[in-house]
Amino acid sequence: FYDCLISVGRRARLLAQLLLIAVVRKFDPGSDGHMTIAIDDSPTQRYGRHVEGAGVHHNPTAGPADGEWMYGHNWVSLCFMATHSLWGVIALPLRSMLYVREKDVPALIEKYGWKFRTKLELAVHLVTWFVKSVRSLDIECKIWLVTDGAYAGRPVLKPLRDLGVVIFSRLRKDACLFDLPPAAKPGKRGRRRIYGFHRMSLSKLAACADGWESMTYQCRGSMVTREYKTFLATSRLVSGVIRVVIVRFDDGGWAAYFCTDAQVDVRDILETVAARWAIEEHFHDVKEIWGAGEQQVRNIWSNIGCWHLNQWMYTLVELCSWDVAKPKLTDRSNRP
């Protein structure tokens, strides 16, 4: 049994490739459509000094009796975001990579030749693997990636944009933005300017009473109506133009989001950013229902195998029940 888990962990990429093929072929939108994927990380708590790859990580969902930090593993996961006609957006996990802190890597170098990589580097690796796998299947649709603000940095955005991936994420309220550069003068030599001359303040734009519009869009399974502003700006995050959308909430607060494709519609930006919550729901279900992180194994490949088996079972069950009618799917009369 343990040998099997170790083999699963070592061959996670190969096994995930088979699942990816099944998922993208089922949800292939055609050359004119797009696929949406999401990247995020989540920890699983472990116990014992001899659990390989475990370390101290930030606890994102600390309860009243929990601390800000927890001991365990931290997983960077890639999920395919599929929209069900009844249940809304569901995140289907495909593959994860274990993030090991730099101070914990020396214990793994001699035994496994483990190399330290940041969460951002792991995210780029996962998305690159997904894009190349999809293109190898002769699927030419656009690929959209939605992440939280932690992954909205140049080390992620620049290489993925070069791959043709369109990225959606939250923008810091103190983000460094500039207006669009002036048009090049006819006959002027030299490279065209990338950034404008004037810096833009998100706080000032959000505080201004002018320019707000209203829109009703899908947000976490329900229709909401909110006010928004949108404009084009240049940012060093991508060394070019991005579309920014500022959303004002009912309590008076606001948040800014961006898309690396200036031609994407505002509604698509807002709904895609809202759909990112499905990956958080997946983390909850994988841990609370499937029991990810509860397996008592110490070997690093066994831990990777256990985590992936939980994620893959989650995806396979969703795929198998995707086209089942609601009355049959929710009938629990023979399950007392």
Side-chain angles (χ1 to χ4, degrees), residues 262-277:
Q263 304 304 317
V264 173
D265 187 71
V266 173
R267 182 182 302 277
D268 289 332
I269 296 176
L270 296 180
E271 292 185 345
T272 302
V273 170
R276 195 200 69 82
W277 188 251

Side-chain angles (χ1 to χ4, degrees), residues 142 144 161 166-167 241-243 259-264 269:
K142 292 184 178 180
W144 291 3
R161 195 185 185 204
V166 180
I167 302 109
V241 179
I242 60 175
R243 175 164 293 281
C259 175
T260 56
D261 186 349
Q263 304 304 317
V264 173
I269 296 176

Side-chain angles (χ1 to χ4, degrees), residues 30-315:
S31 58
D32 296 332
H34 67 270
M35 293 179 178
T36 304
I37 56 177
I39 283 282
D40 203 358
D41 61 273
S42 183
T44 53
Q45 192 166 7
R46 302 310 306 272
Y47 302 93
R49 295 180 300 170
H50 304 293
V51 180
E52 295 179 343
V56 178
H57 301 281
H58 175 69
N59 187 357
T61 56
D66 299 324
E68 183 181 357
W69 304 93
M70 60 177 288
Y71 174 80
H73 291 127
N74 203 334
W75 306 93
V76 179
S77 296
L78 181 145
C79 294
F80 186 97
M81 311 296 277
T83 303
H84 194 278
S85 58
L86 295 176
W87 316 113
V89 180
I90 299 176
L92 305 178
L94 299 178
R95 185 184 170 197
S96 299
M97 299 188 75
L98 177 61
Y99 166 71
V100 181
R101 298 184 309 167
E102 188 172 11
K103 64 181 297 184
D104 297 324
V105 168
L108 304 175
I109 291 179
E110 183 176 353
K111 191 173 182 180
Y112 302 113
W114 196 276
K115 295 182 180 179
F116 170 73
R117 283 188 284 186
T118 66
K119 293 180 184 178
L120 303 185
E121 290 173 332
L122 295 179
V124 171
H125 180 89
L126 287 171
V127 177
T128 302
W129 165 78
F130 179 86
V131 173
K132 291 183 177 180
S133 299
V134 169
R135 299 306 183 215
S136 68
L137 299 173
D138 295 326
I139 297 176
E140 298 300 329
C141 67
K142 292 184 178 180
I143 297 177
W144 291 3
L145 168 67
V146 57
T147 73
D148 65 5
Y151 291 90
R154 187 178 175 87
V156 173
L157 301 180
K158 192 66 170 61
L160 295 186
R161 195 185 185 204
D162 293 341
L163 279 176
V165 179
V166 180
I167 302 109
F168 302 73
S169 187
R170 186 163 181 165
L171 200 58
R172 289 172 56 104
K173 293 186 176 182
D174 61 349
C176 180
L177 300 176
F178 295 90
D179 60 356
L180 300 182
K185 297 180 180 179
K188 185 177 180 180
R189 301 176 61 184
R191 188 176 63 176
R192 183 180 178 182
R193 186 178 178 87
I194 298 177
Y195 310 105
F197 292 98
H198 305 98
R199 183 165 178 175
M200 308 176 73
S201 170
L202 290 175
S203 299
K204 292 181 179 179
L205 290 170
C208 181
D210 299 330
W212 292 98
E213 300 181 61
S214 181
M215 176 180 290
T216 302
Y217 63 96
Q218 187 80 17
C219 180
R220 299 188 188 181
S222 61
M223 301 300 293
V224 299
T225 301
R226 291 183 177 136
E227 294 182 321
Y228 74 93
K229 286 183 179 181
T230 183
F231 55 90
L232 298 180
T234 51
S235 170
R236 292 193 175 96
L237 292 174
V238 297
S239 298
V241 179
I242 60 175
R243 175 164 293 281
V244 181
V245 180
I246 302 177
V247 180
R248 186 159 61 184
F249 303 109
D250 296 336
D251 60 0
W254 61 276
Y257 305 99
F258 75 93
C259 175
T260 56
D261 186 349
Q263 304 304 317
V264 173
D265 187 71
V266 173
R267 182 182 302 277
D268 289 332
I269 296 176
L270 296 180
E271 292 185 345
T272 302
V273 170
R276 195 200 69 82
W277 188 251
I279 196 173
E280 305 290 356
E281 294 175 335
H282 135 262
F283 283 135
H284 173 273
D285 290 350
V286 164
K287 295 176 186 178
E288 298 297 327
I289 298 176
W290 290 97
E294 297 178 8
Q295 294 75 27
Q296 298 302 314
V297 291
R298 293 181 177 179
N299 180 274
I300 193 167
W301 297 115
S302 295
N303 279 284
I304 294 174
C306 288
W307 172 260
H308 276 93
L309 287 174
N310 281 281
Q311 286 201 314
W312 292 337
M313 285 301 298
Y314 178 95
T315 298

